[in-house]
Amino acid sequence: MRLWSDRRLRLSLTGLGGQYLLALLAVGAFSVNTGNNLLYLVFSLMLGLFLVSGVLSRRALQGLKVKELEEGNLFARVRGGLRLRLQDPGRGRVRGLELLLSMEDGEVQPSFLGAASRSGETSVVFQVRAGHRGWTRLRRLELRTRFPFGLLEKSRFIDLDQPLLVLPHPRTPPAPPTSWRGEGHRTLAQEGVSSPEGARPLRVGDPPGRVHWKRTAQRSQPWVRTFEEERPLGLHLRIDLSAWAPGRPFERELERLSGAILQARLQKREISLEFHGASGAHEARGYTACWRILAQARAEGSTDRAEAAEGPLS
């Protein structure tokens, strides 16, 4: 039962609270009809407990303010973490708060804040799954509590209207050719000297003894182990926005480029992205910078031209 609701606050009666309230009224009615002092005492205790529940839940909602949002690298259709920093002057106060974050075009799992931080600042991590790449918005944060007895549920709403950039889904690209633009040959590790560090797709010239069989089975294509002594060179990617029209093929190309950037990051390679559009040619360097360019990219070509283009990953 909702007792009070407005734009910033909401008060509702839980199922347990409804049963408790009926019992409270019944005890009050019996005490008035019988004049029994013991029933009066029980009624007073039950009423005091009900009021204390409301006061403590109100204190649990007070004082919290949103300080900062750390978006990190959030990919489309991939579950990721979103850290929200809160200013918390409670100094160890028991909160018992359920935090719900509303987001456009995405799902956010509720989070929980048990007690106030003694340092004056606390952080909460939300598990987020966005539907599409590009800009989206976080609308508002709801603080909900049934602390301490579960009789009343109180909610407080904090408007955020925070923009959030969602990166393209990192689709794993196929094994690149030997002459992949901008990537040089790697040095071969000496057997028995270096230790395995990671894995990458198979390339021409890799010895069969370095095949990573578990990763090969997972990816359905050959992968090999990398070693600490290898010094990976930089990777250069390129995309011409005028060669693509809006649609699924363009989105798949962005996803393949995003996957290549992710592989370069895992393999600790330098990355650069050259993109051509109506405003001319530009180049971005670094993982985050390249991802943000892809997240905001817009196809500029016509449909007929896009159908003729193969759109390879380069």
Side-chain angles (χ1 to χ4, degrees), residues 57-84:
S57 61
R58 180 173 179 271
R59 282 178 52 84
L61 292 172
Q62 289 178 333
L64 282 173
K65 295 181 180 178
V66 177
K67 185 175 182 180
E68 184 184 4
L69 175 68
E70 297 180 4
E71 56 183 79
N73 294 325
L74 184 62
F75 296 94
R77 307 196 308 278
V78 176
R79 191 177 301 278
L82 188 64
R83 185 181 299 273
L84 189 67

Side-chain angles (χ1 to χ4, degrees), residues 70-126:
E70 297 180 4
E71 56 183 79
N73 294 325
L74 184 62
F75 296 94
R77 307 196 308 278
V78 176
R79 191 177 301 278
L82 188 64
R83 185 181 299 273
L84 189 67
R85 294 191 178 276
L86 302 169
Q87 185 177 349
D88 187 359
R91 304 296 180 182
R93 178 189 305 167
V94 178
R95 295 282 190 188
L97 294 178
E98 183 182 13
L99 285 77
L100 297 94
L101 192 63
S102 60
M103 173 183 176
E104 290 182 352
D105 188 32
E107 301 176 356
V108 185
Q109 296 295 325
S111 189
F112 186 77
L113 178 61
S117 172
R118 296 187 179 276
S119 62
E121 181 180 323
T122 187
S123 61
V124 180
V125 178
F126 294 90

Side-chain angles (χ1 to χ4, degrees), residues 285-305:
R285 294 184 178 274
Y287 313 112
T288 302
C290 294
W291 269 323
R292 293 183 72 88
I293 291 296
L294 295 180
Q296 303 174 74
R298 294 291 180 267
E300 300 174 356
S302 62
T303 306
D304 296 337
R305 185 175 180 180

Side-chain angles (χ1 to χ4, degrees), residues 243-244 249 253 256 305-313:
W244 297 91
E253 176 68 7
R256 287 193 290 267
R305 185 175 180 180
E307 291 177 354
E310 296 180 0
L313 177 65

Side-chain angles (χ1 to χ4, degrees), residues 175 200-203 211-212 215-217 219-224:
R200 60 167 171 80
L202 178 69
R203 297 173 188 157
V211 174
H212 194 304
R215 186 64 59 85
T216 298
R219 301 292 185 179
S220 300
Q221 62 183 16
W223 280 59
V224 296

Side-chain angles (χ1 to χ4, degrees), residues 2-306:
R2 186 168 297 178
L3 305 177
W4 176 265
S5 180
D6 63 14
R7 185 170 175 271
R8 296 187 178 274
L9 296 173
R10 187 178 67 196
L11 174 64
S12 58
L13 194 64
T14 65
L16 178 62
Q19 299 174 12
Y20 185 89
L21 187 59
L22 291 177
L24 175 64
L25 296 176
V27 171
F30 278 116
S31 63
V32 171
N33 292 332
T34 61
N36 191 315
N37 293 332
L38 181 59
L39 289 178
Y40 275 120
L41 179 60
V42 173
F43 175 79
S44 301
L45 292 176
M46 293 180 67
L47 180 60
L49 185 65
F50 190 82
L51 296 176
V52 167
S53 174
V55 171
L56 292 181
S57 61
R58 180 173 179 271
R59 282 178 52 84
L61 292 172
Q62 289 178 333
L64 282 173
K65 295 181 180 178
V66 177
K67 185 175 182 180
E68 184 184 4
L69 175 68
E70 297 180 4
E71 56 183 79
N73 294 325
L74 184 62
F75 296 94
R77 307 196 308 278
V78 176
R79 191 177 301 278
L82 188 64
R83 185 181 299 273
L84 189 67
R85 294 191 178 276
L86 302 169
Q87 185 177 349
D88 187 359
R91 304 296 180 182
R93 178 189 305 167
V94 178
R95 295 282 190 188
L97 294 178
E98 183 182 13
L99 285 77
L100 297 94
L101 192 63
S102 60
M103 173 183 176
E104 290 182 352
D105 188 32
E107 301 176 356
V108 185
Q109 296 295 325
S111 189
F112 186 77
L113 178 61
S117 172
R118 296 187 179 276
S119 62
E121 181 180 323
T122 187
S123 61
V124 180
V125 178
F126 294 90
Q127 295 298 316
V128 180
R129 183 183 177 91
H132 300 87
R133 70 174 180 91
W135 287 103
T136 185
R137 304 194 78 84
L138 300 175
R139 287 304 184 188
R140 68 177 183 178
L141 175 67
E142 179 181 355
L143 310 177
R144 183 185 299 175
T145 184
R146 295 187 178 185
F147 175 79
F149 307 120
L151 304 179
L152 294 172
E153 182 178 83
K154 287 188 176 182
S155 297
R156 176 188 167 202
F157 300 96
I158 301 177
D159 294 329
L160 295 178
D161 198 27
Q162 174 75 36
L164 181 67
L165 186 60
V166 180
L167 307 179
H169 179 81
R171 183 185 297 271
T172 302
T178 306
S179 59
W180 200 6
R181 184 170 183 262
E183 185 177 21
H185 295 283
R186 292 170 175 263
T187 58
L188 296 179
Q190 299 179 0
E191 297 292 339
V193 177
S194 59
S195 59
E197 185 183 39
R200 60 167 171 80
L202 178 69
R203 297 173 188 157
V204 177
D206 288 333
R210 295 178 59 187
V211 174
H212 194 304
W213 296 109
K214 182 177 180 180
R215 186 64 59 85
T216 298
Q218 292 175 344
R219 301 292 185 179
S220 300
Q221 62 183 16
W223 280 59
V224 296
R225 300 180 185 275
T226 59
F227 293 84
E228 293 178 355
E229 289 185 0
E230 291 183 305
R231 293 295 181 264
L233 301 179
L235 177 65
H236 183 79
L237 305 174
R238 181 181 181 275
I239 184 170
D240 187 359
L241 301 179
S242 62
W244 297 91
R248 186 56 191 160
F250 177 65
E251 297 298 328
R252 284 198 297 267
E253 176 68 7
L254 295 182
E255 291 174 0
R256 287 193 290 267
L257 290 172
S258 179
I261 296 172
L262 181 60
Q263 287 187 9
R265 181 175 181 177
L266 295 176
Q267 297 167 9
K268 301 179 181 179
R269 285 182 288 176
E270 295 182 356
I271 188 75
S272 64
L273 173 66
E274 179 185 347
F275 58 99
H276 298 260
S279 59
H282 304 276
E283 186 175 10
R285 294 184 178 274
Y287 313 112
T288 302
C290 294
W291 269 323
R292 293 183 72 88
I293 291 296
L294 295 180
Q296 303 174 74
R298 294 291 180 267
E300 300 174 356
S302 62
T303 306
D304 296 337
R305 185 175 180 180

